[in-house]
Structures are given as C-alpha cells and as structure tokens.
Amino acid sequence: MATKKQIILPIAVLVGGIGLAAGFSAMKKPPEEKPVQDTRPLVAAQPVHLDAITLDVKSYGIVQPKDRTELIAQVSGQVISVAGQFVEGAFVKQGDILARIDPNDYEADLIEAEAGLAQASSALEIERAQAHVAKAEWERIKADSSDVTASALYLRKPQLAEKMARYRSAQASVKRAKRNLERTYIKAPYDAIINERSISLGSVVNPGNSFGSLSSTEVAEVRLPVADKELQYLNNGGIGATVEFNAQYAGKETTWQAKVVRSEGVIDQKSRMSYLVAQLQTPYEGVQPLRFGSYINATIEGRAVNGAIVVPHHLVKNNKIAVLNDDLTLSFKTLNIIREQDGMVIANQGLAEGEQLITSALEYPTEGMAVKIEDTVTKPDVTQLALKGE
C-alpha cells in the first residue's frame, strides 16, 4: 500500500500548478479594441462665385502718327531764314513758319501781274463804254436802216469779249503770283513734332527739294494684330471697342485709353493675323505722353458675360469638374466652356453660385464617392490637381 506521503505529494503539485496557471492568467491584459478606420479621401473645397466679366483680347503694337508729311519746296530760291524750332524733336503749331525762301523775285512777279491786271481792267472799261455808245447809236439810226438787227461787230461784242478774256487772264496772273509768293513760306500744316530737317540757312532749293518731315501730334495710331479665333470675343469685330495701352514711361508702368476706329479688313500674309487700328487723341499732352515709336501692350474690351464661371484649367477634364455635395459625396458637373486663356477656363453654364468646388488631387475619383473635407478652407488662389492623369 502507498504511504500517505506518496498520495499527498502529487495532489499538492497539481494544486500548485493550477494555482500558478490561474495567477499568470490573471496577470495577462485583455487585447485593446481597435477604432474603426475612416478610409474616405481627404479633400479641400472652395465655393463657386459667378461673376460678370468681359472677354478681353490681348494684343500689342508700335505707336505711330496718323499723319506724317514731308515738306517739299514748290518754288525755287535761296533759303534766307530758318526758325529756331525747326529742329528734330521740337514741337510746332499749325501755321508756324519753319523756313523762308527769298521772296524778291516773287514780289516783283506780283507787282508785274497787278500792273497787267490794272491795264486789262482799264481796257475793259473803255471797251464797255464804246460798246454802250455803239448800242445807243444803233438805237438812234435803226429806224432808217433796212437791217432788222445790228451786227455783233457793230455793237462791239467781239471786242468786249476779247477785253474780258484779257482781264480774266490778268486776274489769274495775279492769283498765281500771290500763290508763289505765299509758297516762299514753309509752314507747319498741323500741330506736329519735327522728325528731320534736310536744309540749312543759305541752301538753294528747287521745286521738289525736301526741307524735312514732321509728324502730327493730334492723333496717334497703333496697329493691333488679333488672331482670327479671337475676333469671336469682340463686339462688331472690335470696331468701337475701348482699348487700354500699357507701356513704360520714365521707368514706370503707365496706361492710356484709346479706341478702335477701324479694321484693315485683310489677313496679313506672313503672320496670318487680322489687324485692328486704335487711335489715341493728343498723345503728347499731359504729364505722361505716349511717344511715337513706343512698344505697347494692349487690352481690347470684349463681349460681356453675366454669371461667368472662371476656374483653373487643371481642374477640368473632358469639360467636367468635380464638386462636393452636401452629403460629402463627389459628383461631376459638365461645363459649357466658352474660352480658355492664361491657364483658366471660362464657362457660362454648369455650376451654381455657392456650390463647393473640389480642388484636391484624387487618385481615382468616381461619381458618388464618399469624401471628407478639411477643417480649413482652401484659399481661392491655392489649387491642386483635381483629376490626375491630365
């Protein structure tokens, strides 16, 4: 028979093992519960604003005078005076005398012509008196004459016509002499700036010789090239549109307002551009003159569009754009695009005021996809790719 010690020892070991196992089991921590993970993509959005805009057209050009004139001698002679303002770059007024040709010969011609006119006038008056006497004599004797009418020669009509012709010829000679005398003055035909002078004091000129040239300061013109597809954004082909010129003056950006007055009506064979012509009145007046020869950038006022949508080009793919719905789902809206310019898309249909435009990049956006929105609002000028793969 087994002893009591042999029976108790195994039981004690078993009880101790069970107790130790229970102790270790009590010391073990239960596994932590993991929170449910939100897998919706995070997006940024900004509200849509509908604006009234104009579809302006950009262009450029060189400022030129509308009128440029070369001063040409119409009579011959020696230049006896030259005005101080007749120098390159000087401004002159209409009618200013720029130079003078020696008038002595032309003054003598005028005196001679006036003397000839006086002689012709005297001869005409004498002939008129003789014709009057002849007519009175005929009236006295016609009752005794067998002739019913007097001859034209008897009434001195041919003689009177001859004297009248000589008188008119003398009048023409006086007019011609006065005109030649007036042409000894070289005058500015309009308010102008002197481009060049080609004569000096003492020069001898003949008809056709040049004195120089000048440009009118009354009107400046700029030829503005416009691509054919851009004409659709202008009212009446651009004629009558307001134009804003931008150029540097004294190191500062300056603007001027002008007006499109005409179209040249043809397409340039080299550039394949249409040309509009804009005019600016009195370009040299004011503190900041628009000088001839200046290179300018121009903005031509285009058609007005009410309720326009302007969004970055990279947010649009196949005329569709992603918007955020009230239930935090994504949907696509189709835009009616009327213009793409400077990295922006302009549409007049497709979005409503206040709709949330998604501006974040999404890997694979799909219609109805659930998304979550950032706590902060994205600034309008900070945008990202809404649709990858463009």
Side-chain angles (χ1 to χ4, degrees):
M1 292 182 64
T3 64
K4 184 183 292 186
K5 183 177 180 180
Q6 290 175 329
I7 296 172
I8 295 173
L9 183 60
I11 294 173
V13 172
L14 179 62
V15 171
I18 294 172
L20 185 62
F24 280 125
S25 176
M27 293 175 61
K28 184 179 180 181
K29 292 182 180 181
E32 296 181 0
E33 294 184 2
K34 295 183 179 180
V36 178
Q37 187 175 3
D38 188 355
T39 60
R40 294 177 300 169
L42 181 66
V43 299
Q46 65 185 44
V48 173
H49 295 290
L50 305 183
D51 298 313
I53 65 171
T54 56
L55 302 178
D56 296 339
V57 173
K58 303 292 185 181
S59 190
Y60 56 89
I62 303 295
V63 181
Q64 300 289 347
K66 178 185 177 183
D67 296 307
R68 180 185 173 102
T69 301
E70 186 173 3
L71 301 173
I72 300 295
Q74 294 179 283
V75 295
S76 61
Q78 186 177 39
V79 178
I80 61 172
S81 67
V82 177
Q85 71 267 34
F86 192 20
V87 291
E88 293 182 11
F91 292 93
V92 294
K93 294 292 185 180
Q94 182 178 9
D96 284 354
I97 298 174
L98 306 179
R100 184 80 194 276
I101 297 173
D102 186 358
N104 288 327
D105 291 341
Y106 303 100
E107 289 173 347
D109 290 343
L110 178 58
I111 294 173
E112 185 177 357
E114 288 175 340
L117 177 61
Q119 291 176 347
S121 177
S122 175
L124 178 60
E125 290 301 320
I126 293 173
E127 190 58 45
R128 281 174 175 168
Q130 291 177 344
H132 180 72
V133 171
K135 184 177 180 181
E137 182 67 18
W138 170 253
E139 292 294 334
R140 186 179 64 82
I141 67 172
K142 69 178 181 178
D144 299 331
S145 175
S146 59
D147 295 332
V148 178
T149 58
S151 66
L153 186 61
Y154 182 86
L155 295 178
R156 302 190 66 84
K157 289 183 179 180
Q159 295 89 328
L160 182 61
E162 179 188 7
K163 295 300 189 292
M164 177 61 73
R166 290 183 179 180
Y167 174 76
R168 289 179 177 174
S169 177
Q171 282 183 318
S173 297
V174 171
K175 186 176 181 179
R176 187 179 301 107
K178 287 181 177 179
R179 184 188 61 190
N180 288 338
L181 181 60
E182 181 64 24
R183 285 174 174 174
T184 61
Y185 294 95
I186 307 303
K187 299 179 180 179
Y190 39 64
D191 293 354
I193 182 172
I194 304 299
N195 297 325
E196 62 176 326
R197 192 185 86 185
S198 54
I199 55 92
S200 298
L201 187 65
S203 299
V204 176
V205 296
N206 293 304
N209 291 157
S210 174
F211 275 76
S213 64
L214 43 75
S215 296
S216 172
T217 56
E218 296 175 359
V219 180
E221 285 191 344
V222 181
R223 296 176 72 238
L224 302 174
V226 177
D228 189 67
K229 67 177 182 179
E230 296 284 290
L231 293 176
Q232 62 182 305
Y233 306 124
L234 301 176
N235 291 315
N236 193 28
I239 298 175
T242 299
V243 184
E244 184 178 273
F245 291 158
N246 294 277
Q248 290 283 332
Y249 178 77
K252 296 181 179 180
E253 191 71 20
T254 309
T255 62
W256 297 266
Q257 295 294 321
K259 197 71 111 178
V260 176
V261 296
R262 68 180 185 275
S263 168
E264 293 189 352
V266 296
I267 296 178
D268 186 85
Q269 294 298 312
K270 294 182 179 179
S271 65
R272 307 307 301 169
M273 292 281 193
S274 297
Y275 280 85
L276 301 177
V277 179
Q279 288 185 354
L280 176 70
Q281 302 293 322
T282 59
Y284 277 88
E285 288 187 2
V287 180
Q288 298 171 323
L290 181 58
R291 295 163 293 182
F292 296 145
S294 298
Y295 178 87
I296 58 95
N297 291 305
T299 302
I300 307 171
E301 183 182 25
R303 292 192 292 109
V305 178
N306 294 320
I309 305 157
V310 183
V311 295
H313 185 274
H314 55 252
L315 298 181
V316 182
K317 184 176 182 180
N318 297 328
N319 292 355
K320 295 182 179 295
I321 193 166
V323 297
L324 179 66
N325 300 319
D326 293 337
D327 59 355
L328 297 183
T329 59
L330 178 149
S331 64
F332 293 101
K333 295 293 184 72
T334 301
L335 298 179
N336 182 38
I337 298 174
I338 58 177
R339 191 179 192 184
E340 298 180 20
Q341 183 185 39
D342 298 332
M344 305 298 288
V345 168
I346 302 173
N348 59 359
Q349 292 179 11
L351 294 176
E353 179 73 26
E355 282 191 289
Q356 294 295 315
L357 184 66
I358 294 178
T359 60
S360 299
L362 296 173
E363 290 289 342
Y364 302 104
T366 58
E367 183 74 27
M369 184 176 68
V371 296
K372 58 184 177 182
I373 190 169
E374 293 179 349
D375 294 334
T376 58
V377 178
T378 304
K379 295 182 180 180
D381 58 343
V382 180
T383 59
Q384 295 175 324
L385 288 174
L387 305 176
K388 284 194 173 181
E390 290 191 13

